[in-house]
Amino acid sequence: MPEITWQKSSYSGSGDNNCVELAASDTTLALRESDTPTAVLHTHRPQLTALLSHIKTTTPRH
């Protein structure tokens, strides 16, 4: 697998821990949490867009 560059979420603040990171290759997107960098979720742009849209529009359950 070619080397990819991880980008930290702007909502993660300035610390190095507990950050959501995203990386893009030619074919997929990868997501990981900085404190568990070996656990990577691979997806595609339409699926990630749908997930984020769902999260933004869904009321959390208590």
Side-chain angles (χ1 to χ4, degrees):
M1 175 180 233
E3 185 66 29
I4 56 176
T5 302
W6 291 97
Q7 295 180 325
K8 183 172 74 165
S9 166
S10 61
Y11 288 99
S12 296
S14 60
D16 289 336
N17 295 330
N18 300 322
C19 302
V20 175
E21 298 174 317
L22 176 72
S25 72
D26 291 339
T27 58
T28 63
L29 296 172
L31 295 153
R32 70 179 184 183
E33 191 171 342
S34 61
D35 62 350
T36 314
T38 58
V40 178
L41 172 68
H42 295 274
T43 189
H44 299 277
R45 290 181 194 275
Q47 288 82 1
L48 181 58
T49 299
L51 173 63
L52 295 175
S53 177
H54 177 75
I55 290 169
K56 289 179 183 178
T57 60
T58 303
T59 304
R61 294 181 186 178
H62 298 282

